[in-house]
DNA sequence: AGACAATGTGAAACCGGTTTTAGATCTCTT
DNA sequence: AAGAGATCTAAAACCGGTTTCACATTGTCT
């Protein structure tokens, strides 16, 4: 591998001057600049990122920490983030917290001593306050309550989305609408429940029926049994996320309960799985890929401009009506 | 951040000695070793990986390059690889080649000038020969024809798997079995086709019916129309991969063709999607997560022992019979 | 007792960049 | 014409580790 000193020697200048043209920073005469660029071309010189990182306390790397990359929400997010990162000359480090005993907040140490430039946090398993305390690393927090004043948050209008979902079920004529909610340490799970409750409570004649779930397919399956035991007359189901909705559809099909004729179903997230199962599932769609892109963009903004004010971005969701809630009668 | 010189000063030794205990390498008296370790503890010193990287031409990072992380095969692979990497003190860099105009083999440059220690290649978009030529980076190649003599290959017994699949369809009584194959630049697509053909040609009375596909859900949907136009009497379908099989199931359901009663379906890969749709899909299951783990393990082996012989590992597939091929008559 | 290997340690060089410092020129002002 | 800036450049220091080298000490074997 060629070094900057090789280039310098060959161009008859000092390494410092080469560095100046490399970084387009400081004074360099047009003549030397041209000469150096020519030599760089000819030698096929590429600056060593590790050496550069050591000197600049930088790594040109972003981290994306998710709880479980196997959850179909995250690959789409990751793809968006990786795309933008790559476009801007950054690499993306992937962290998967699920199944790791995060003794001593393992990942935080790595972020620090590898000079990771910024991190996108999409898991509850990272202690972002600790991270913020130890490093002032630029952070983007996804879909979570954010206690860090110095981090950018990206979320969707969850409350409005779940209101829309519930009202949609009402509008197609459902009489008794239940909600399967996710783990309540999750801010979004709470808000989705809240939205459902808001709508139900506006209608005094309606009964609130809620069942706990865990945001997994199996959780959805389990919730259905639980639900039907106590409320066999439910005819509309707003499920806390799409993964559970998939489980719900499966279980209802197994029980020969027709969707949407007997029970209409609406999920939340907009993962592509909703289009894969039959019936296809009505859902509140989030722009997941877009969120990944946006997260990386904002992160890079903050890296380049540390004094930028930390926005909190809220994206719109969209009701996508599919077979699982189509009662065209 | 504390540096090694801080530790040295505080322990009354030279940085070199601290480095020796850090790396457990070279002679250090028990007494100083204990003293240094105590100081490290107390100061909470963590060696800077970037500096270490520069000195050792190392990064403690593996790269995983996939074509599209959104394809459900890859997150599972990534999870396995990340897990093992993390356990061994490595980070995992994710590269997604799809949608990138890989001008100048972008990713190869990154791998080189970030001192990435090794790479798992699971895409056709990386020119592994070029990579091998420029760097002698340890590589593990997944499920592809490997032209590099110095790389470890991991694949499954694709030929046997597809033979098993085809024979399974025969065994449940299918009379006319078709195959939807994937893009033939993909080695596995070729082998899956080959396995199908081997079995069919063993039975002179059977007709070979093959239709091209592209390994996507939509590709599966398209292939069904194509197939049924020319061969409405097909009653068994070995689909080149699960993603297409999902599309097939969907399209058959739309056409009110019953699975398995009218047409039995068998896929290949073992992605969890096969368990999500109904009917659940019979498939040739590969140990995907395991493959990810194994890839990382082998890669780390090679990094630690550059002269290790480059194995070629072949894993067994398993026929998993589900609803889509259950003809219990 | 002398030779030789094994053990233990710090100074200095090194990895490959960036940044500071200091000095040289050149160009305006007044 | 002298002083103030702006432009340009190389040498040297620096980022935070590792490794080589040189030298001392100790132990072991004839």
């Amino acid at each position: 591998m060629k070094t900057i000193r090789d280039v310098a020697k060959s161009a008859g200048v000092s390494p410092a001057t080469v560095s100046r043209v490399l970084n387009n920073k400081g004074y360099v005469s047009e003549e030397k600049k041209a000469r150096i660029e020519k030599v760089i071309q000819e030698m096929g010189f590429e600056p060593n990122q590790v050496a550069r990182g050591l000197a600049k306390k930088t790594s040109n790397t972003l981290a994306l920490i998710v709880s479980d990359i196997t959850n179909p929400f995250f690959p789409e997010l990751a793809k968006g983030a990786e795309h933008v990162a790559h476009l801007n000359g950054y690499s993306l480090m992937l962290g998967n917290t699920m199944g790791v005993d995060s003794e001593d907040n393992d990942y935080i140490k790595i972020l620090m001593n590898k000079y990771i430039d910024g991190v996108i946090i999409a898991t509850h398993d990272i202690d972002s306050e600790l991270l913020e305390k130890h490093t002032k690393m630029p952070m983007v927090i996804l879909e979570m309550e954010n206690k860090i004043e110095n981090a950018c948050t990206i979320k969707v209008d969850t409350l409005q989305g779940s209101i829309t979902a519930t009202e949609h079920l009402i509008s197609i004529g459902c009489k008794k609408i239940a909600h399967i909610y996710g783990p309540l340490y999750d801010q979004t799970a709470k808000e989705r429940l809240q939205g459902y409750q808001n709508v139900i409570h506006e209608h005094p004649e309606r009964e609130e029926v809620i069942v706990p779930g865990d945001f997994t397919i199996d959780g959805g399956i389990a919730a259905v049994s639980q639900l039907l035991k106590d409320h066999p007359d439910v005819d509309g189901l707003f499920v806390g996320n799409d993964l559970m909705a998939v489980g719900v559809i499966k279980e209802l099909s197994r029980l020969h309960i027709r969707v949407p004729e007997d029970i209409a179903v609406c999920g939340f997230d907009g993962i592509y799985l909703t289009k894969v199962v039959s019936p296809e599932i009505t859902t509140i769609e989030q722009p997941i890929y877009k969120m990944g892109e946006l997260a990386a963009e904002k992160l890079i903004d903050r890296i380049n401009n540390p004094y930028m004010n930390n926005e909190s971005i809220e994206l719109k969701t969209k009701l996508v009506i599919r077979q699982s809630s189509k009662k065209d009668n």
Side-chain angles (χ1 to χ4, degrees), chain A:
Chain A
M1 280 291 81
K2 299 300 175 193
T3 75
I4 202 174
R5 301 187 211 251
D6 297 330
V7 174
K9 191 174 299 172
S10 170
V13 299
S14 77
T17 305
V18 178
S19 177
R20 282 185 209 107
V21 340
L22 245 29
N23 293 284
N24 204 17
K25 186 179 182 177
Y27 296 111
V28 180
S29 65
E30 282 306 320
E31 179 242 332
K32 292 210 170 162
K33 183 171 176 194
R35 192 156 86 228
I36 290 169
E37 279 170 345
K38 184 150 162 282
V39 172
I40 289 178
Q41 268 298 327
E42 287 170 2
M43 302 181 71
F45 166 79
E46 295 272 341
N48 178 314
Q49 295 297 331
V50 178
R52 180 177 272 189
L54 178 57
K56 307 221 289 198
K57 297 186 190 306
T58 259
S59 64
N60 273 300
T61 302
L62 310 181
L64 169 66
I65 317 264
V66 303
S67 54
D68 182 6
I69 188 68
T70 264
N71 176 329
F73 183 87
F74 292 119
E76 201 159 335
L77 190 80
K79 190 176 177 183
E82 203 273 345
H83 183 228
V84 168
H86 193 77
L87 279 183
N88 288 276
Y90 286 84
S91 313
L92 188 72
M93 199 195 101
L94 178 70
N96 200 84
T97 54
M98 191 179 163
V100 174
D101 353 320
S102 64
E103 1 120 354
D104 293 321
N105 271 280
D106 231 357
Y107 278 109
I108 293 188
K109 276 187 195 161
I110 294 174
L111 297 179
M112 281 171 40
N113 58 38
K114 284 200 173 163
Y115 287 154
I116 300 297
D117 299 319
V119 57
I120 302 171
I121 300 182
T123 171
H124 295 274
D125 298 339
I126 288 286
D127 186 338
S128 54
E129 286 178 285
L130 195 66
L131 215 186
E132 145 75 12
K133 213 184 86 193
H134 284 281
T135 75
K136 309 100 83 60
M137 174 137 18
M139 298 193 257
V140 171
I141 301 197
L142 256 72
E143 284 282 55
M144 286 192 295
E145 198 176 9
N146 174 14
K147 291 150 286 182
I148 319 297
E149 82 275 30
N150 188 33
C152 174
T153 312
I154 297 181
K155 40 172 60 173
V156 299
D157 58 342
T158 306
L159 191 67
Q160 181 55 52
S162 51
I163 289 174
T164 303
T166 313
E167 285 177 345
H168 167 63
L169 290 173
I170 291 179
S171 80
I172 61 170
C174 295
K175 296 288 175 247
K176 185 165 181 180
I177 300 172
H179 176 60
I180 303 177
Y181 58 94
L184 294 180
Y185 60 76
D186 187 318
Q187 176 71 4
T188 65
K190 254 192 275 184
E191 287 181 23
R192 291 171 193 189
L193 171 58
Q194 187 63 54
Y196 162 80
Q197 288 174 325
N198 286 3
V199 173
I200 295 299
H201 296 342
E202 270 175 14
H203 300 260
E205 79 283 8
R206 290 189 179 265
E207 180 188 355
E208 172 184 316
V209 180
I210 61 177
V211 189
D214 65 355
F215 276 175
T216 70
I217 293 181
D218 287 340
I221 293 177
V224 167
S225 326
Q226 163 92 40
L227 176 69
L228 292 182
K229 206 174 53 194
D230 302 335
H231 302 274
D233 54 337
V234 158
D235 63 352
L237 201 37
F238 170 39
V239 188
N241 77 344
D242 285 340
L243 228 36
M244 290 198 296
V246 167
V248 164
I249 291 286
K250 243 194 115 177
E251 182 65 2
L252 290 178
S253 148
R254 199 182 62 80
L255 298 172
H256 300 294
I257 296 176
R258 293 167 305 162
V259 175
E261 293 81 357
D262 301 330
I263 300 186
V265 173
C266 178
F268 200 118
D269 272 352
I271 62 180
Y272 73 96
L273 265 187
T274 50
K275 283 183 287 190
V276 166
V277 299
S278 16
E280 297 187 1
I281 304 177
T282 293
T283 191
I284 302 294
E285 189 174 81
Q286 302 175 302
I288 306 179
Y289 182 83
K290 191 84 208 148
M291 287 169 75
E293 287 192 321
L294 200 57
E297 276 163 19
K298 287 302 159 196
L299 196 52
I300 293 170
D301 276 359
R302 307 206 74 222
I303 291 167
N304 293 333
N305 184 355
Y307 304 109
M308 211 177 72
N309 45 6
N310 43 306
E311 307 172 66
S312 189
I313 298 176
E314 187 167 276
L315 298 172
K316 289 275 166 273
T317 54
K318 199 175 105 193
L319 170 66
V320 178
I321 300 175
R322 301 212 186 86
Q323 296 160 2
S324 76
S325 74
K326 248 180 206 143
K327 296 199 181 178
D328 18 35
N329 51 343

